[in-house]
Amino acid sequence: MPDIEIDVLVVGAGAAGMTAAMAAMKGGASTLLVDKSMIGRGGATVMAQMTVAAALGEQDPDDWKKHLADTLKAGRGLCNAELASVLCQEAPDRIRELDGWNVGWARDAEGRINGVQAPGHSVRRCVYVDFLATGPAIAQTLRTQISRTKNLKRISGFSIRDLVVHEGRVVGAVGVNLDDGRTITIAAKATILAAGGLTKLFQRNSASTNMNGDAYALAMRAGAELLDMEFPQFFPIGHLAPRLVGMDPIMWDPFRYKLGGRLLNGNKEEFLEKYGLADGGVYSAPRDVTAYAIVKENEAGRGSPAGGAYLSFMHVPESQLRAAFGPAIDLLARNGIDLTKQCVEVAPIAHYHMGGIRVNDRMQSRVPGLYAAGEAVGGANGANRLSGNALPEALVFGERAGRFASSEVAGMATAWSDAAAAPVLGLIETINDRAAKASPTETCGTTKMWTELQQLMWRDVGLMRTDASLNAALRRIREMRSKDLPNISPSPGMEFNSTIEEWFELRNSLLVAEMIAAAALNRKESRGAHQRIDFPNTETDFERNQVLSMEGEQFSHRWIPVTTSVSAPQAAGAE
Ligand SMILES: Cc1cc2nc3c(=O)[nH]c(=O)nc-3n(C[C@H](O)[C@H](O)[C@H](O)COP(=O)(O)OP(=O)(O)OC[C@H]3O[C@@H](n4cnc5c(N)ncnc54)[C@H](O)[C@@H]3O)c2cc1C
């Protein structure tokens, strides 16, 4: 018998998971929200900095169709228009809902919600709370609402290790309490995967420690399809040098919106125009081409000393710098950085994933009982995401997943199968047993393997890929999955033993790494965030989405036409 029985299980408590859990409760379903970190404090949401795109039309004339047109253009022909249109139509509702919960959107003198024009957007539509504090404000607001949602059950420090599939349906999951290592089985009529992205797989990343791709691996093993896994997004101006302690590596973006920081090559020349971009101090260049341009300048020997580009605010008067940066200027000073006198060096950094679990516009995967939401979902942003589209994606898809999951399970009986849960319970026991028997002097191999995986992904599956680099990566990843990991022991002990969790994270991350490398090998062209040195052109033949699934231990892949039909605007309150 399962330890817990619930209508809807939500895995991951970022913006998508918290919104999904509230919507499921509103739909009348008993709901359990779990997170391997603390509820509302792990993952990307709490780290997000500034922009939330929504066609509110308060300052500039705007509507969701314009937002959609910008999103499709940025997506380089691969956006699923149905998902993208849902995102753009419903983003304003979610923004106003947060406003009603006092998130504190910045407002102009007339009391209208303030927007900035982020790269790729045709109008000022990216709302914010504060330049570096929008994600924390959203997370805090959702946490407050979660705590006010009566009877919503939640468990922090609880990691889902596998979903349980019985007779073709996801019937729940097996998880572990990370404090004491206790295993808990959960029967759920529907499960929503809102476990975030995968950027921790790359050596240079803006991720938190738990963004290691669990959602994609859990979905794949449960029989779901994964879409366009070759498209992790590289944020072009991640901090590179000098050393910066206590600040986020992607902190420079909001200040460029405000002040127009100049991007210069190693010869201190502006260079984006050479790549067809008219940046000219207004910072309008999209992420994919800017990242590409920085790499190409370095290849031509015109990089900055640490291997990136210079970002300069030296043309901005000190008083303006202080007004824009606020207390951040003092943090920079503590790092020995004086922006009036020096440039900083920036370079691309893995930041987001456009690919993910394939769902319909009700957020249902092809496996009955399995839904997904947030960054875990693939398709809405195609081959390149617009700045500010990820937070509304999390909120909109989360609300939808909770709403549709709760309506599906109404009146349904719980199903559970001990036999279907047995393999993962057996694996957990084996690894726990190894930890119990490990000698205190034995070196634990999980940390070393993480380092190797991140370096390999950055070098061979990163910004510039070739047939040779991807094949080399695939060979090594497969070896690590099949030979190395099964022989690695966590360090000894059961309580607070993070190396056991690390072992299971590697189990997922190696599978996800293989998905990315295999998908990148199949896409023999360059498009958006996927750049092949050996196939530099964008090919009409590849204006298709790639679908991966798993048969036994083998991936199979197929190409599908891009969904171009737009979702009909929903009537208020309609299902
Ligand atoms: C530094 C940074 C800045 C950003 N800035 C912006 C911005 O300005 N604008 C914008 O639109 N987007 C931004 N993004 C992207 C955006 O924040 C994310 O895409 C979005 O927050 C994802 O929300 P989510 O709920 O899907 O996932 P997350 O917020 O990542 O939440 C996923 C949760 O799942 C949990 N989890 C993972 N695996 C398991 C498991 N096995 N069991 C249980 N729990 C699990 C994690 O602990 C985590 O709490 C930024 C991202 C980063 C990293």
Side-chain angles (χ1 to χ4, degrees), residues 11-17 34-37 42-45 47-51 158-160 194-196 206 210-211 214 218 248 250 351-352 373-376 385 388-392 394:
V11 183
V34 301
D35 199 294
K36 66 177 163 185
S37 178
T45 302
M47 300 170 77
Q49 300 201 308
M50 180 177 170
T51 48
F158 187 80
S159 175
I160 294 296
S206 64
N210 41 14
M211 289 166 67
D214 281 2
L218 293 171
D248 201 297
I250 68 150
H351 180 55
Y352 172 82
E375 193 168 333
R385 170 177 71 88
N389 263 5
L391 285 166

Side-chain angles (χ1 to χ4, degrees), residues 535-551:
F535 296 101
N537 298 326
T538 303
E539 305 289 348
T540 320
D541 277 359
F542 280 103
E543 194 161 311
R544 289 180 293 164
N545 297 114
Q546 183 175 187
V547 177
L548 287 187
S549 53
M550 211 159 77
E551 320 294 337

Side-chain angles (χ1 to χ4, degrees), residues 11 36 159-163 174 193 195 197-198 201 210-221 229 424 427 450 453 477 481 485 501-516 550 555:
V11 183
K36 66 177 163 185
S159 175
I160 294 296
R161 293 271 161 87
D162 247 332
L163 303 180
V174 174
L193 279 177
L198 53 64
L201 266 65
N210 41 14
M211 289 166 67
N212 64 291
D214 281 2
Y216 313 108
L218 293 171
M220 186 63 123
R221 283 197 298 268
M229 289 301 284
V424 65
L427 180 63
W450 255 117
L453 178 64
I477 293 166
R481 267 189 78 202
L485 184 66
E501 177 61 10
E502 223 166 56
W503 192 98
F504 280 94
E505 287 185 346
L506 275 167
R507 174 182 181 236
N508 289 339
S509 299
L510 287 167
L511 175 61
V512 175
E514 189 174 334
M515 291 184 217
I516 302 170
M550 211 159 77
F555 295 140

Side-chain angles (χ1 to χ4, degrees), residues 135-301:
I138 291 176
Q140 187 189 8
T141 305
L142 293 174
R143 284 199 308 269
T144 304
Q145 293 308 312
I146 286 279
S147 66
R148 289 179 183 159
T149 307
K150 269 204 183 126
N151 300 326
L152 169 54
K153 298 180 178 57
R154 34 194 210 275
I155 315 179
S156 289
F158 187 80
S159 175
I160 294 296
R161 293 271 161 87
D162 247 332
L163 303 180
V164 177
V165 184
H166 177 52
E167 294 176 348
R169 183 177 181 91
V170 170
V171 294
V174 174
V176 167
N177 184 336
L178 296 176
D179 285 355
D180 58 10
R182 202 157 35 103
T183 304
I184 294 176
T185 51
I186 304 163
K189 297 172 190 171
T191 298
I192 300 172
L193 279 177
L198 53 64
T199 44
K200 188 188 162 187
L201 266 65
F202 293 87
Q203 188 180 12
R204 258 179 74 70
N205 67 66
S206 64
S208 68
T209 52
N210 41 14
M211 289 166 67
N212 64 291
D214 281 2
Y216 313 108
L218 293 171
M220 186 63 123
R221 283 197 298 268
E225 291 177 321
L226 278 285
L227 191 84
D228 292 346
M229 289 301 284
E230 62 273 37
F231 286 108
Q233 180 170 54
F234 298 94
F235 175 84
I237 57 164
H239 187 82
L240 185 63
R243 196 158 170 262
L244 185 62
V245 178
M247 299 186 81
D248 201 297
I250 68 150
M251 63 161 286
W252 296 114
D253 217 18
F255 300 112
R256 279 198 89 203
Y257 301 136
K258 200 161 188 180
L259 300 165
R262 294 171 68 213
L263 207 54
L264 309 169
N265 66 16
N267 302 332
K268 301 273 171 84
E269 305 153 340
E270 277 178 311
F271 60 93
L272 289 176
E273 284 75 10
K274 277 192 275 180
Y275 300 87
L277 301 169
D279 206 39
V282 292
Y283 188 32
S284 59
R287 287 178 173 175
D288 54 352
V289 194
T290 308
Y292 175 84
I294 294 173
V295 172
K296 286 289 162 191
E297 286 300 291
N298 276 276
E299 268 176 25

